[in-house]
Every structure is written in C-alpha cells, then in structure tokens.
Amino acid sequence: MNFIDEAYLEVRAGDGGSGASSFRREKYIPFGGPDGGDGGKGGDVFFKVNQNSNTLIDFQNRKVFEAKNGQRGSGKNKSGSAGSDLFINVPRGTVIYDNLTNEELIDCTDENIDYLIVKGGEGGHGNARFKSSTNRAPRKSTPGFKGEIRSLRLELKSLADVGLVGFPNAGKSTFLNFVSSAKPKIGSYPFTTLRPHLGTIKGTESSYVIADIPGLIEGASEGAGLGIKFLKHISRTGLLLIFVDLFPSDDLNPMKQIRLLRKELEAYKDNLTQKVSWVVCNKIDLLLKEDIKNIKKEIQEHLSINENDIFMISAATGEGVNKLLSKLETEIFKN
Ligand SMILES: Nc1nc2c(ncn2[C@@H]2O[C@H](COP(=O)(O)OP(=O)(O)OP(=O)(O)O)[C@@H](O)[C@H]2O)c(=O)[nH]1
Ligand SMILES: [Mg+2]
C-alpha cells in the first residue's frame, strides 16, 4: 500500500556566501582601493502543491531538503551569486507543522502559491563596503548569515467537499464508482478500501469532490479495524454521508449502524458530528418497497433525523442516486 499521509523532514535554507577581502591590483596603480564583493544570498525553501500527487510517500526515504548556499564574493567588486531556491512538491491539502512546537505553519491548498518555509541567509559584506574617510584600506569583510533550519511534520488532510463514512461493505466505493470516474476497488468482503479515494463529481454548474475512506467498525476510535486515522481525510469536508448497509451480513441493523457510527464520529478529536450529515441507506434493490418505507420511518422517528436528510438508494442500480446528487450540489454551493 503506497499511501502515506504523514511525514517528518528537515528543511535547510542555504547559507549566505562570505564577503571578500581584496584590493585592486592593476598596472600603474600601486595602492588600489578595496574591491572585495559581497557574498550571495542563500537559497530559500518553498512548498508547492502538486495536483498529481495524493500521497506523502516521497518523504519515506528522503528526510533532509537543502537549498543551495550563496557563493562567496570576489575581487573586482564581484558579488557572489545567490544560491538557488528549493521547491518541494506536496499533494494538495498537506498541512505543515513545526515538529518541535506543533504549531501549524502552512496549509498547502493553492497550486498558484509558492509557500515559503525557511529563508536563506543574507550574504556577507565585502571589504569594499567598509571603506570610509578614516579607513581607506579596510581588510574587514563579514561571513554570510546562516540559512534557517526547521524540523517539520507534514500531514495530508485531503480536501473534499463530501465525505463518505460507513461500516465496511456498505457500498461506499460502489457509490463513488457510480457517480465519478474514480475507480476504488469494490469487494464483497470488508476492508476492501485501504486508503482514501477522491472522486470528482461533475455537477450541473460546478464540480465538487467526494472522499471515500476505509470502513469504520465499532471501537474504531480506540483503534479497532483500520481505526480512525483516515477520518482526518474527511475532517475538512463540509458534509458527511453516513452510509448504511440495508442488507448487512451480520446483525448490524440500520439503526445500530447509525448509532455506532455517530458514536465513533463523536469520539474523533475534531468532533465530526458537528458537520452537516445525511444518512444514505444503500442496497434498496435487495429490499421490498414496503420494507424500505418502514426502515426510513424508523430512522426518522427513533433517531430524530429529518426526513429530507435520509436518502434511500442503490449504488448498484443507480436508483435514488440522482436525487441525492442534486441535493448535494445545492447544499455545497448554497453560499
Ligand atoms: N445489491 C447491491 N449490492 C451492492 C450495492 N452497493 C454495493 N454493493 C455490494 O456490496 C459489496 C461492498 O461494496 P463496496 O463498495 O466495496 O463497499 P465499501 O463500503 O466500499 O466497503 P469497504 O471498502 O470495505 O469499507 C460489494 O459486493 C458490492 O457489489 C447495492 O446498491 N446493491
Ligand atoms: Mg470501499
């Protein structure tokens, strides 16, 4: 599985080059003045969003990222050249923390921005700078300044508008396959999905993104199953779809599923229950019309969920899916 959503690394900006101490030496000018140039500035380090990447796997092996040092100055007032900057590509939605203080530094969301993380040191001054009326032949020059160094933690929190949560096998991936061109694997066994998948839905006016994550099970918040570590990928979505399996293989009836899922979401640190969440009951193709109606009523009444927030669909046949999609679009773009 080459999906990695956390990484640790060190970034080092380049040091400034030192200033030169030098005197003009030319024919016929026996005592030339100081002509040592300044050192070049060290390179900066930036983060940049790479839209084609969705994992931090590149940081598994490489831990140190360094920009180039500035060159030293030289005679004839020649400044050293600046060290080149370093650009580190990360997936969209990567949040960068200071690993020592845990402070959030940058949220890499915009592919048009170069996010500066550490600044290169300024170059030192050459001795030409120190010439004055009282000292016409200074030897003094200064070293360059050190580049900044920072130890970082990177966390990928996918950016999606809608998140799918549900027990394994509820049909989340089948749904994403049906509505988008994303192709997460579908399986008749639990834990088919092992990493988040993002699918883009082309709405009537704009597109939006749905995130499918691995299924949750009871006790997920305490680490059971694949645990809740993937919930961070839906922590930034405005809307959650709680996927319910209407044809579960065990005794997890729909009401039980919703109750347990709500409990796990509540236990998550960002308290995901504060989001807008709708209930999506899947696999209606396997049930009688009468039963579908009753289940919906039961959910409405026993869990006090608004009728408009419950959807009965079949991700296999597509029944009810268009209605859900059009409501989703309205909700997402209502502002
Ligand atoms: N009859 C019927 N079967 C469905 C429907 N949706 C999904 N399935 C089946 O249910 C099984 C599980 O589907 P997945 O989409 O892999 O379920 P998931 O929720 O993504 O499961 P995990 O990745 O394990 O969390 C597969 O065998 C699907 O073919 C549906 O609407 N009707
Ligand atoms: Mg799946």
Side-chain angles (χ1 to χ4, degrees), residues 193-250:
T193 303
L194 297 171
R195 44 155 283 194
H197 290 266
L198 300 183
T200 303
I201 317 298
K202 292 199 171 44
T204 48
E205 284 172 26
S206 308
S207 322
Y208 55 96
V209 176
I210 296 184
D212 170 29
I213 60 167
L216 291 184
I217 59 172
E218 187 176 10
S221 52
E222 277 130 36
L226 293 175
I228 51 166
K229 60 182 176 171
F230 292 111
L231 284 179
K232 65 175 168 241
H233 295 282
I234 55 167
S235 66
R236 309 214 271 187
T237 65
L239 206 154
L240 294 183
L241 297 184
I242 299 187
F243 252 69
V244 177
D245 192 343
L246 292 183
F247 204 76
S249 51
D250 42 29

Side-chain angles (χ1 to χ4, degrees), residues 169 171-174 184-187 191-194 197 212-215:
N169 248 354
K172 302 176 294 295
S173 302
T174 307
K185 200 166 142 196
I186 296 169
F191 301 117
T192 306
T193 303
L194 297 171
H197 290 266
D212 170 29
I213 60 167

Side-chain angles (χ1 to χ4, degrees), residues 176-189:
L176 194 69
N177 266 278
F178 189 87
V179 299
S180 75
S181 56
K183 290 289 160 260
K185 200 166 142 196
I186 296 169
S188 57
Y189 45 89

Side-chain angles (χ1 to χ4, degrees), residues 7-293:
Y8 295 84
L9 53 98
E10 187 176 280
V11 283
R12 299 179 187 164
D15 296 337
S18 42
S21 184
S22 151
F23 292 90
R24 226 180 319 147
R25 298 259 177 269
E26 282 173 51
K27 257 185 186 170
Y28 315 118
I29 309 179
F31 300 106
D35 71 351
D38 295 341
K41 184 185 159 298
D44 302 332
V45 179
F46 297 89
F47 282 103
K48 239 182 135 51
V49 171
N50 171 9
Q51 279 176 297
N52 298 321
S53 158
N54 61 2
T55 158
L56 296 176
I57 193 157
D58 295 348
F59 303 101
Q60 279 290 81
N61 300 319
R62 193 166 160 204
K63 298 289 180 200
V64 178
F65 291 78
E66 269 176 308
K68 293 268 186 263
N69 294 335
Q71 300 280 310
R72 45 176 58 246
S74 47
K76 297 186 181 157
N77 286 316
K78 249 183 99 180
S79 300
S81 46
S84 34
D85 297 333
L86 179 72
F87 294 87
I88 306 175
N89 286 317
V90 289
R92 203 161 94 89
T94 301
V95 184
I96 300 180
Y97 299 88
D98 185 303
N99 192 33
L100 301 176
T101 64
N102 227 11
E103 181 195 355
E104 180 180 324
L105 304 173
I106 300 173
D107 186 357
C108 301
T109 54
D110 188 339
E111 48 270 17
N112 300 312
I113 295 179
D114 296 335
Y115 295 97
L116 177 66
I117 182 73
V118 279
K119 261 181 105 62
E122 292 298 328
H125 285 169
N127 67 335
R129 294 247 192 188
F130 296 97
K131 187 175 157 187
S132 67
S133 54
T134 51
N135 187 355
R136 307 186 65 83
R139 292 184 177 280
K140 181 179 174 180
S141 63
T142 56
F145 288 88
K146 289 276 175 210
E148 292 175 325
I149 295 180
R150 240 174 158 156
S151 166
L152 306 174
R153 179 167 61 86
L154 272 53
E155 210 177 286
L156 176 57
K157 297 183 180 179
S158 304
L159 287 172
D161 303 291
V162 180
L164 308 182
V165 276
F167 279 81
N169 248 354
K172 302 176 294 295
S173 302
T174 307
F175 175 74
L176 194 69
N177 266 278
F178 189 87
V179 299
S180 75
S181 56
K183 290 289 160 260
K185 200 166 142 196
I186 296 169
S188 57
Y189 45 89
F191 301 117
T192 306
T193 303
L194 297 171
R195 44 155 283 194
H197 290 266
L198 300 183
T200 303
I201 317 298
K202 292 199 171 44
T204 48
E205 284 172 26
S206 308
S207 322
Y208 55 96
V209 176
I210 296 184
D212 170 29
I213 60 167
L216 291 184
I217 59 172
E218 187 176 10
S221 52
E222 277 130 36
L226 293 175
I228 51 166
K229 60 182 176 171
F230 292 111
L231 284 179
K232 65 175 168 241
H233 295 282
I234 55 167
S235 66
R236 309 214 271 187
T237 65
L239 206 154
L240 294 183
L241 297 184
I242 299 187
F243 252 69
V244 177
D245 192 343
L246 292 183
F247 204 76
S249 51
D250 42 29
D251 67 342
L252 268 178
N253 68 47
M255 305 282 287
K256 238 181 176 171
Q257 291 178 47
I258 301 171
R259 282 206 186 94
L260 287 173
L261 288 168
R262 278 180 160 181
K263 205 175 101 193
E264 297 304 329
L265 294 177
E266 222 159 277
Y268 187 67
K269 60 180 190 310
D270 293 352
N271 200 357
L272 295 168
T273 45
Q274 287 173 4
K275 291 181 187 300
V276 176
S277 65
W278 294 346
V279 170
V280 177
C281 298
N282 186 33
K283 308 192 185 178
I284 56 170
D285 56 298
L286 301 177
L287 269 66
L288 296 171
K289 280 230 156 31
E290 196 57 25
D291 293 337
I292 298 170
K293 246 189 173 155

